[in-house]
Amino acid sequence: MSANERATRAFKDILRRPGNDACADCGAPDPNWGSCTLGVFLCLSCSGIHRNISEISKVKSLTLSRWEDHEIQFMAENGNELMKSKYEAAVPVYYYKPSHKDCQVLREQWIRAKYERKEFCEPGNLTYEEDGMLMKRGRDNGQFLSRRFVLSEMEGTLKYFTKYDAKEPKAVIKVDTINATFQPEKIGNPNGLQITYLKDYSTRNIFVYHDSGKEIVDWFNSIRAVQLHYLKVAFPGATDAELVPRLTRNFLKEGYMEKTGPRQKEGFKKRWFTLDHRRLMYFKDPLDAFAKGEVFLGNMAHNYSVSLGLPAGTHCNGTFQYGITIKTPERCFLFTCETEGDQQEWVKHFNEVMSAQMSPQEYTMEATFKHKH
């Protein structure tokens, strides 16, 4: 039996052990790489990030690389569960652990924080104040300019100033209205972060980035930390497991659809749609500061529904052909998608949202929507 065959057979057994069947860093199934210096099993994507910290982690393919007997023995003695107990011993509850679906900057900083900076090996004295410069996209001209941002746990606010020494902030954002999500493609920067918040019951977007991946991920996790602090004050009986899902969240889906107006006689116009749980927002441009409109998606038991296609007799004069009809207690909304795949995916998400039970906060949001519209 060749050395390669021996290694393959040995890894088959080792990978059956609890925790070794998924990437140690992002949870992707069936890892086919290993770090022979850290003793963890990795997916292809995370192994590429490990290559950038080669002084700490030496990666090899489980099937294509040559493994020494002592290296195989090391992998068998360690493995994902044991190494997590060391390198993730004290991950703060608010800290966002990225999955294989998350963007590169989140996954890279998670890996560097674990193995290079050893941030989670033991509890640290963490503060949740941030004060620094971020590049912010101008609302009207689309230019990115350096702006000072200040995050305060004591005040529960994120402020930004047009000049570093400005006395008055340009905006004061309450952290409990914030959602932050990484948007590298949309913003056109690998460290691009979209900060969404409510202003006078309307959604406002600001787009920022920092040249340093560590800096932007630190801002992101600090926002989550301050949010958790405020949720604990607001809901003293709630557990961490109940509160953490209410921190920043990725959008369920984004993309172009066409829509018609309330009378459904207007032409179908192309809009950028963002589904943020129960709020379906639409924009003229993906980087607009304000949504042109929003649709609240309540529970099916309360006369909310979604169906494929458009009502009979609808004159569809747009370029997209795959229709979707959303019914709310107040009115019908008609949309069209470019492809059948898009149509199916939007409808799947709408159904999932409308099937979910509503929280007391969501009932309040629904009442606000009805009052506003």
Side-chain angles (χ1 to χ4, degrees):
M1 189 188 295
S2 72
N4 259 19
E5 286 171 331
R6 270 206 317 277
T8 301
R9 183 172 288 185
F11 281 133
K12 227 174 213 175
D13 289 337
I14 300 168
L15 288 167
R16 285 198 192 101
R17 295 177 193 170
N20 290 347
D21 59 345
C23 174
D25 295 328
C26 74
D30 305 320
N32 51 8
W33 288 75
S35 169
C36 61
T37 48
L38 292 171
V40 292
F41 294 94
L42 307 163
C43 68
L44 174 64
S45 184
C46 287
S47 77
I49 297 171
H50 276 250
R51 272 199 197 86
N52 295 332
I53 50 170
S54 55
E55 65 283 3
I56 295 162
S57 184
K58 184 183 175 188
V59 291
K60 289 184 172 187
S61 163
L62 300 186
T63 52
L64 302 174
S65 303
R66 178 179 168 79
W67 287 79
E68 303 295 338
D69 288 344
H70 70 89
E71 291 173 332
I72 298 170
Q73 182 69 22
F74 180 75
M75 298 299 288
E77 288 169 359
N78 291 288
N80 292 359
E81 292 290 297
L82 186 62
M83 290 300 97
K84 277 188 183 183
S85 70
K86 175 184 175 181
Y87 289 105
E88 296 182 29
V91 181
V93 68
Y94 62 80
Y95 197 97
Y96 185 82
K97 293 185 183 183
S99 79
H100 59 284
K101 294 177 181 173
D102 282 302
C103 64
Q104 177 84 359
V105 67
L106 269 173
R107 288 184 294 114
E108 177 165 356
Q109 291 308 314
W110 166 237
I111 288 167
R112 287 184 180 275
K114 272 167 68 170
Y115 307 114
E116 188 178 51
R117 301 193 291 270
K118 295 187 174 65
E119 286 181 17
F120 313 126
C121 287
E122 49 192 54
N125 297 319
L126 298 160
T127 57
Y128 314 125
E129 306 287 314
E130 292 278 358
D131 184 340
M133 306 301 283
L134 297 174
M135 298 300 289
K136 178 190 168 292
R137 187 179 191 272
R139 193 178 101 190
D140 301 318
N141 61 14
Q143 274 186 308
F144 279 91
L145 297 168
S146 185
R147 297 287 182 253
R148 182 187 180 197
F149 282 76
V150 178
L151 176 69
S152 167
E153 182 184 52
M154 196 170 75
E155 296 177 14
T157 58
L158 176 68
K159 301 176 184 175
Y160 79 86
F161 302 79
T162 49
K163 293 192 175 69
Y164 187 82
D165 54 358
K167 296 283 183 285
E168 293 298 317
K170 176 80 171 162
V172 179
I173 305 163
K174 292 166 85 89
V175 291
D176 57 357
T177 74
I178 287 177
N179 184 31
T181 178
F182 278 91
Q183 296 278 12
E185 287 85 13
K186 192 200 281 190
I187 294 172
N189 184 286
N191 303 334
L193 186 69
Q194 177 174 347
I195 296 172
T196 302
Y197 62 97
L198 287 178
K199 182 181 179 184
D200 305 326
Y201 298 113
S202 288
T203 301
R204 167 86 158 93
N205 293 322
I206 56 177
F207 302 94
V208 298
Y209 72 84
H210 195 286
D211 288 334
S212 158
K214 180 183 183 301
E215 283 288 325
I216 201 71
V217 172
D218 283 350
W219 273 98
F220 173 71
N221 279 304
S222 294
I223 288 169
R224 289 174 60 88
V226 175
Q227 286 180 326
L228 183 61
H229 171 79
Y230 269 77
L231 283 171
K232 281 179 180 253
V233 172
F235 305 100
T239 63
D240 287 343
E242 290 169 319
L243 297 178
V244 168
R246 296 180 55 187
L247 306 182
T248 60
R249 64 209 167 267
N250 290 329
F251 299 135
L252 295 176
K253 183 167 169 62
E254 287 196 287
Y256 284 109
M257 289 195 286
E258 292 184 336
K259 72 172 289 292
T260 185
R263 292 197 306 278
Q264 293 161 12
K265 303 235 183 300
E266 304 91 331
F268 276 77
K269 289 181 181 160
K270 188 175 176 183
R271 296 287 181 252
W272 177 266
F273 284 81
T274 296
L275 180 58
D276 186 3
H277 195 48
R278 292 200 182 272
R279 292 159 66 198
L280 177 66
M281 297 167 274
Y282 51 94
F283 305 83
K284 202 166 182 180
D285 182 272
L287 294 170
D288 280 349
F290 291 98
K292 285 190 77 67
E294 302 186 31
V295 183
F296 182 83
L297 305 179
N299 186 273
M300 283 174 177
H302 301 142
N303 297 321
Y304 290 87
S305 66
V306 60
S307 55
L308 292 167
L310 302 175
T314 305
H315 178 54
C316 183
N317 52 6
T319 55
F320 295 177
Q321 298 305 312
Y322 297 91
I324 296 174
T325 300
I326 289 180
K327 285 186 179 171
T328 75
E330 282 71 47
R331 59 171 276 205
C332 279
F333 293 87
L334 309 185
F335 311 108
T336 53
C337 302
E338 190 171 15
T339 68
E340 189 179 5
D342 257 353
Q343 177 198 41
Q344 301 283 348
E345 207 177 321
W346 278 110
V347 167
K348 176 176 81 79
H349 286 300
F350 293 148
N351 270 319
E352 285 169 359
V353 169
M354 291 180 190
S355 302
Q357 291 298 314
M358 279 171 58
S359 68
Q361 292 78 19
E362 287 168 344
Y363 280 111
T364 306
M365 190 191 296
E366 181 184 38
T368 305
F369 260 83
K370 285 179 177 172
H371 174 72
K372 193 171 82 169
H373 300 291

